Amino acid sequence: FSGRQGARLSLSRPIMKPPLPTVTYGTSFRLCLQKSVVSRLGGRLPKAMGPELPILYSFRRCPYAMRARMALAVAGLRHEIREVSLKDKPAEMLVVSPKATVPVLVLLGGEVIEESRDIMLYALKRNDPERWLQGWCPDLEALVERNDGPFKTYLDQYKYPQRFDVPMATARDRGLEILMDLEGRLAASPFLARQSPTLVDICLFPFVRQFAAVDPDWFQQVPLDRLRSWLAFFVEGSLFAQIMTKHSIWKSGQLAIIGETSVMHSPMD
């Protein structure tokens, strides 16, 4: 999820801050976006202490972190990426985000964005070359809410049956009901909202990928032909391979690793 390795820069050398890209939104649609939940540290960090680039705390295999990295990459927003171990989270991350989950984006002024969807909105509102925000509305937001709520619950119950009092087959069947609904929606177009990917596709596919991976043979046998093609588009794509570049676990004081920022151009646009 072929990507090039992020460039390594010495923290002792100043890093030039790129100008924010100009964002032009069309007038034929209205963005129905909830206001980003951005918590602020106690005042601004002194210049001497502030990071040279926004910092993203991430875990490579986390589906929430995957979709945040994809939005940052497609928007072309340069950032330092810090891969964390979920069993040994760095103190620097816990200071800025006590909830201790990834992803977390720390902006230059000290603002902290703690939710993956808010990170995606932050990036795409600044630069949206693939028009992922186009057509965003309550109906599509409801699909993401269902994904992040009930479907994520069924996924966890299916993937980790030893942690729950729910039979694995029951969790799988409940998740399948939601997948069948997505299959039906894909009858109208190859993606969930139009002929090319949008925000809703990017939000959902990392979780569908995890569900499919629990029992790949079963997933290949259920009547989800359109959904399998939809999933393969993302999993086999260059953007996904790029944001799935492996990085070593971040340690305090190590050289900065710059997150991937190449832009994907969809062949279906």
Side-chain angles (χ1 to χ4, degrees):
F1 282 61
S2 72
R4 60 183 180 81
Q5 294 288 341
R8 296 177 180 271
L9 303 178
S10 170
L11 290 178
S12 63
R13 297 179 181 177
I15 301 175
M16 298 300 292
K17 300 177 183 177
L20 286 176
T22 301
V23 184
T24 304
Y25 295 122
T27 57
S28 61
F29 63 93
R30 184 179 178 186
L31 298 180
C32 308
L33 305 173
Q34 63 184 41
K35 189 175 182 180
S36 297
V37 181
V38 178
S39 60
R40 195 176 273 276
L41 299 177
R44 289 182 171 271
L45 295 176
K47 280 189 177 181
M49 295 177 59
E52 297 291 345
L53 289 172
I55 294 171
L56 179 71
Y57 290 96
S58 178
F59 178 62
R60 180 175 175 271
R61 299 196 307 272
C62 171
Y64 296 103
M66 287 178 195
R67 67 191 191 185
R69 296 197 305 269
M70 288 188 76
L72 288 167
V74 84
L77 298 187
R78 296 181 72 239
H79 58 282
E80 177 185 348
I81 187 165
R82 294 181 175 180
E83 178 75 8
V84 305
S85 167
L86 299 184
K87 296 180 180 179
D88 186 20
K89 298 164 186 172
E92 291 86 346
M93 175 183 135
L94 299 178
V95 166
V96 298
S97 182
K99 75 183 184 70
T101 61
V102 292
V104 176
L105 183 65
V106 184
L107 304 180
L108 292 181
E111 300 91 344
V112 179
I113 308 179
E114 298 181 300
E115 300 293 339
S116 61
R117 277 190 281 171
D118 293 327
I119 294 172
M120 297 176 80
L121 294 178
Y122 170 81
L124 295 173
K125 284 180 178 180
R126 280 153 183 76
N127 190 33
D128 187 15
E130 296 294 319
R131 306 189 306 280
W132 282 357
L133 293 179
Q134 187 172 5
W136 186 251
C137 64
D139 180 57
L140 298 180
E141 186 169 3
L143 293 182
V144 179
E145 292 288 350
R146 183 181 66 176
N147 177 83
D148 293 6
F151 186 73
K152 180 60 166 64
T153 297
Y154 305 148
L155 169 60
D156 289 343
Q157 293 170 346
Y158 178 37
K159 188 176 181 182
Y160 309 108
Q162 68 278 10
R163 301 181 185 176
F164 303 93
D165 286 329
V166 177
M168 186 177 183
T170 299
R172 184 184 67 186
D173 290 345
R174 290 171 177 170
L176 179 59
E177 291 181 8
I178 293 177
L179 297 184
M180 291 297 293
D181 177 69
L182 297 179
E183 174 76 6
R185 290 173 178 269
L186 291 170
S189 61
F191 298 94
L192 293 172
R194 65 180 188 192
Q195 297 296 312
S196 58
T198 66
L199 183 64
V200 65
D201 300 285
I202 307 304
C203 282
L204 269 58
F205 96 84
F207 299 86
V208 176
R209 171 184 173 272
Q210 281 199 344
F211 199 94
V214 176
D215 187 345
D217 291 337
W218 171 85
F219 187 73
Q220 289 299 319
Q221 294 170 7
V222 289
L224 297 171
D225 292 345
R226 289 186 290 264
L227 189 68
R228 282 190 291 268
S229 296
W230 171 86
L231 181 60
F233 174 89
F234 296 108
V235 175
E236 297 172 6
S238 60
L239 179 62
F240 184 68
Q242 179 184 324
I243 64 97
M244 289 300 286
T245 298
K246 290 185 178 181
H247 300 296
S248 59
I249 300 299
W250 180 82
K251 300 295 183 183
S252 181
Q254 78 171 49
L255 297 179
I257 297 175
I258 309 306
E260 293 76 14
T261 55
S262 294
V263 174
M264 171 194 72
H265 293 284
S266 169
M268 294 191 177
D269 254 356

